[in-house]
Amino acid sequence: ETLSPERQKMIVIERYCKVFVLCSIFLICTPLVFRMHKSCSSEEEEEDEGAMAALNLQATPKSARVDRVDVAEAIQAASDQRDLMVE
């Protein structure tokens, strides 16, 4: 049996409304789920993350690390050059 075009249209609208509502619920609940997971996570996970960060820092070659003093010196040198060019 065939449905009238109006009824077919309503079926499609109802279907997409259900999809919209489900997606909306998912988008609203996702941040809450992540917050709950973060607050319920054990201290062991945090210790593991700290250990991994330390390992990553040790694995980085010294030539790749940026020191704050080096950055400050580079900024000062650039400022001095600019001042010389202005004079």
Side-chain angles (χ1 to χ4, degrees), residues 4-17:
S4 67
E6 292 85 23
R7 182 65 189 143
Q8 289 176 347
K9 183 178 179 180
M10 287 307 298
I11 290 172
V12 169
I13 290 173
E14 289 173 2
R15 181 181 303 148
Y16 285 104
C17 285

Side-chain angles (χ1 to χ4, degrees), residues 18-48:
K18 290 176 186 176
V19 170
F20 175 77
V21 168
L22 286 174
C23 289
S24 299
I25 291 170
F26 178 74
L27 288 173
I28 290 170
C29 293
T30 300
L32 299 175
V33 171
F34 282 113
R35 281 188 190 160
M36 286 178 18
H37 176 70
K38 185 177 180 181
S39 67
C40 295
S41 66
S42 67
E43 292 179 9
E44 291 176 10
E45 290 178 5
E46 293 173 5
E47 291 173 2
D48 290 344

